[in-house]
Amino acid sequence: MYYFLDDNMQDHKSGIEHAQIKRLNLFNSFKVPAKIVTIQYNNELHRVTQAAGIADNQLVNLYDYFQETLDIPAQPTMIQDINIDSTWRRAADGPSYNYYENDQRMMYVRRHSEADKRVMNLQYFDHYGKLLKVKWFDVRGFMSVEQIYGWDGKIAIENYLKPDGTIAIQKSRLHDRQGKAIEHFILNYADHKYSFANFNELVSFFYDQMVSDNQLNDGTAPKLIVDRSYELAWPVFHMKKRVYRAMQLHNNHVNASKDMLHAEYNYNYAFGLNHLNDWDGLIGLTKQQKIDLDARFGDEAIKIYQIPGPVVSTATLEAKQIEFSKRTPLKVVMVARISSEKQQDQLVKAWKQVIKVLPEATLDLWGYENADFGKKVKAIVKEEELEKSINFRGYTADVASIYNDAQLLILPSRAEGLPLSLVEAQSHGLPIIANDIKYGPADVVIDQQDGLLTTNGDIDGLAQAIISLLQDQDKLALFSQHAYADSRRYSEAAVMEKWQVLIQDADQFEKGAH
Amino acid sequence: MFYFVNEYILSQNSSLEHAEFKRIKLFDQFQTPAKIVTRNHDNQLHRTIKKFNLNDEQIINMFDFFGNTIDYVGHELKTKDLKIPVDYQVSTGNNSRTIKDGGRLVGEIHFASGTVGQIARVDYFDVAGNLANREQYDIRGFKSVDEFFDGEGHMSYQVYYRPDGTRYMERHYIKSTANTPINSLNQLLNYRGRDRFFNSIDDLFTYFLDELNQANDENNVFIADRPAVANMPVMSMESGAKKYLWLPMNHARDGQDEVLGAYDGSYAVPFTPKGLKKLAGIIVMTNQQREHLQQRLPKFKKHIYTISGAIAEHYQPVKLSARKPGNLIYVGRLGKDKEIDQLLQAYKLIHEAVPTTNLDLYGYGSKSDLANFKQQVIDLKINDDSVNFRGYQPGVDEPYDTAQLMLDLGKQDGQPLAMVEGLSHGVPVISCNYHYGPAEIITDGNNGRLIETNNISEVANAAIKILQDDQLWQSMSDQAYQLSESYSPENVWKQWQVILK
């Protein structure tokens, strides 16, 4: 059983979660047993994961595990399921209600929204009007956690409950003599009561239980792929049971790419890379990254793999290709979070030159805005009087239709791991112009065949590249054809072949252990 | 069913509880169903009552009622039953154990006092030593309460459990302006179809009494015994019940005139016309108190009854020769209001005249009161260890049978239970003539002496006279046995007939 270790899974997924989901689907296609493992409490978790196509039996959450709610039927709690005293007076507050006995507020029943009337939580008050506790429902309908307020009006205790109402995990939020917060965990598990000085210790204990759980393992040997080593390497290293474990990089592993042999590690990977010998494998995303890893760690015993995160599904590869003439002429898109390392500011400056030559061209910027940087980019657009041709379109889940409609995708980033959007855009036949940075663009874009690689920081060069392709529509159409063909490099079979190398090694590890 | 409504039964009880014990025994003797009702949660209750020869059928506790554990029979729960994870080390100790994970203190197990390792509670700490969770265990062998604490160490939340681990109540505590805990919400879970909410334990207690009444076909008799805790909840009951107030004390505020002065706080509301409407009657223990109350409440006078709280068993007479010569006893709470300092002064005078005397004081008192009394003994220069504080004992038959005289210099009471007990064991009593009781219990010169209050030297003189005249003592002791007949179970049961009718 391959466990993909993550922290949390929310509606706003990062590239790491997207990569995990793609990997899970890939493993499913090839019938390699796998599950995603998260450790944070999240009462909306199962809605999020189901929407992402993750089956409940392929998701192991720490709280679910101890609350005994890994895979239970959903039965939403509605207001009529709560037997409220019928003599109480009810006052609406949006979709929610206050309840009063005479003039005393007894309860507040919070519901999600007018459209979604499930009960979210119950809030209890005393006759002094003080909020005493809040009981939250899991999206599947059972009462999942009670938060207890202390004398100081702050949450002091959170009790995570099993569906039968007994306490599975008590989290206390007290403080030490310096007033610093201490999160302590008491776990009721298998007739025993355990005490954990912090969350990491609990996570470590949880992993040990998980890898020893035959039902979860489905009779196979447990193996760990750690997708967030910053949060999870410590608990993994402190497990009592030693199982196969590999560290997956999701980005450049150093901060500055000039001296790959000595550069300071990206803080996300520093702890993991400082304990290189505690891993059984290290997974980089791109060929260049593997070259850099080999150069730096080649003398160590660690096995280094190159496996891309993005996977192009068979369905996408077999889908009907879009005729280039059907694409909106001169429509350019960028699909990425609007943040400084993505350098939308440079693209906007380059666009000023593009628009002088091609006044009909349009640029759509898709993606969440990081507050400050979003403002900055918008200010430049205004200053340069580009509002007519540049549109901020926000986040969308339906990227395929964007890729199918545009003529060109730009990614002017200064640093990446292996951008999912490049592989996805290419699979939809979209030519790409991207800065040749570490890592990713060079692994996706074949220069002068399906796109152009530009030099980071060279705004004029970027502008010239865009102009040259938009002006040569025949070339662009040819690039589009090549893009479809080149994306086969990221087919399920191609990526799985890379995984097979690791899987064989992991099986060897298991044999060695026994 | 008769319900005697009280707050608790402790391992050391006041005469109020002892009167209830005697009463429950009386009802049992005359085959009339009755139970003592207690309000407070008490993990030791079902063990404590055995010390007072009560069984589980003779009491009913509110939390047992809601937790369905009225007659629960469990097993002794010891450290091994806690299933402490093998990863942890458990220390040894007399009254407790520590649980450690390496050098870190995980928890502490505390044993119930007077047991061999039976679990009373387990405390769990966080890494900074804050108490994070306290588990309370019922002596019958199940976790009864989880307590949770906030960052300042204040207990803010309690969850109450049945033996099967399901919850039946949640209670909250918040900070008062005086920085003390206030129980500001009690949530009875899923009881009769829904959660029920109570702002205070009084409200909860009232609801419980109604439920108890209705669970037993209504129209039961409820006698409120402990005024501060039982009076208002009994009177606030809404279901059909016969409600009586039992007066274990003087109804007047300390030092006030009993007919004209202000009522003690516990009676201000009940004795208004509106309050009296809810009552079937008031029960006092002496005729004198009844007369005083009848003067105050003329419209209610027919419903004020005298029933003795004291009940004198028949005991085999013990001759002087079989008693400890010069052994004086005091039995009762050791409080300032009981005028123990006057008692010690009187003893000093007696002891100077009759050096063979000694004084045994039976009863409990606060630490500081006890320290003061012991200091007083030193200050009085009673240097021969002849004064002994014997502490509280569930039964004092043996000390009564070996004592020669009993002293009581008190100022007020509802009826001194120990006085009747002493007399029934043939111990003459020298008492100040306070309200209420001594004048009805003692026939001056026959079974003891009645002395005006605060007259210490007269008490001493009376005692010296009896101690120096064995014939006089024997006559008084004989009459003590004889006159106790009026407090026999049969005679007290006759007094109950007005209520039982």
Side-chain angles (χ1 to χ4, degrees), chain A residues 70-189:
Chain A
L70 282 174
D71 191 1
I72 60 164
Q75 199 173 5
T77 297
M78 311 307 284
I79 205 155
Q80 57 268 25
D81 299 323
I82 299 156
N83 294 318
I84 291 168
D85 192 331
S86 58
T87 66
W88 288 356
R89 182 167 57 83
R90 184 168 100 159
D93 174 39
S96 305
Y97 289 107
N98 276 303
Y99 286 90
Y100 298 87
E101 184 174 54
N102 302 316
D103 287 334
Q104 181 182 334
R105 174 155 75 156
M106 305 298 291
M107 251 171 100
Y108 183 75
V109 178
R110 184 168 167 203
R111 301 200 289 186
H112 284 261
S113 66
E114 290 292 354
D116 175 4
K117 291 187 171 168
R118 287 177 300 123
V119 176
M120 184 190 285
N121 64 42
L122 307 176
Q123 304 175 20
Y124 297 82
F125 302 86
D126 69 12
H127 55 293
Y128 300 100
K130 185 178 171 4
L131 177 63
L132 299 174
K133 69 184 160 196
V134 182
K135 296 195 176 194
W136 294 81
F137 290 93
D138 183 88
V139 68
R140 292 164 293 171
F142 67 99
M143 191 172 278
S144 178
V145 59
E146 56 178 4
Q147 295 179 317
I148 309 300
Y149 288 78
W151 286 23
D152 54 5
K154 292 179 191 145
I155 295 171
I157 302 290
E158 289 176 352
N159 289 323
Y160 296 87
L161 309 173
K162 295 180 189 177
D164 68 5
T166 56
I167 298 170
I169 298 173
Q170 178 201 328
K171 176 180 172 186
S172 58
R173 311 214 289 199
L174 311 181
H175 22 80
D176 66 13
R177 282 188 194 157
Q178 282 79 45
K180 268 195 229 148
I182 297 171
E183 291 194 338
H184 188 84
F185 295 82
I186 294 174
L187 170 70
N188 296 296
Y189 172 65

Side-chain angles (χ1 to χ4, degrees), chain A residues 442-461:
Chain A
D443 270 46
V444 182
V445 178
I446 302 178
D447 197 28
Q448 301 295 343
Q449 176 168 309
D450 52 27
L452 300 174
L453 291 171
T454 47
T455 305
N456 181 29
D458 180 5
I459 293 174
D460 294 344

Side-chain angles (χ1 to χ4, degrees), chain A residues 20 24 43 53 67 78-79 83 109 175 258 291 314 330 356 364 366-367 384 388 440 446 454 495-496 512:
Chain A
Q20 278 193 329
L24 186 70
N43 61 348
Q67 288 177 272
M78 311 307 284
I79 205 155
N83 294 318
V109 178
H175 22 80
K258 286 206 175 117
I291 290 166
T314 307
L330 303 181
K356 274 183 192 150
D364 285 357
W366 293 89
E384 304 286 351
K388 267 191 196 158
I446 302 178
T454 47
V495 177
M496 199 63 203

Side-chain angles (χ1 to χ4, degrees), chain B residues 73-114:
Chain B
V73 180
H75 53 88
E76 288 191 357
L77 191 96
K78 299 198 168 178
T79 303
K80 65 176 168 43
D81 303 311
L82 290 175
K83 295 190 183 162
I84 293 160
V86 291
D87 308 332
Y88 303 147
Q89 283 179 303
V90 180
S91 73
T92 72
N94 282 335
N95 303 313
S96 66
R97 299 273 186 275
T98 59
I99 309 168
K100 283 191 166 178
D101 183 17
R104 179 171 70 88
L105 180 65
V106 168
E108 280 173 1
I109 305 167
H110 293 269
F111 302 143
S113 67

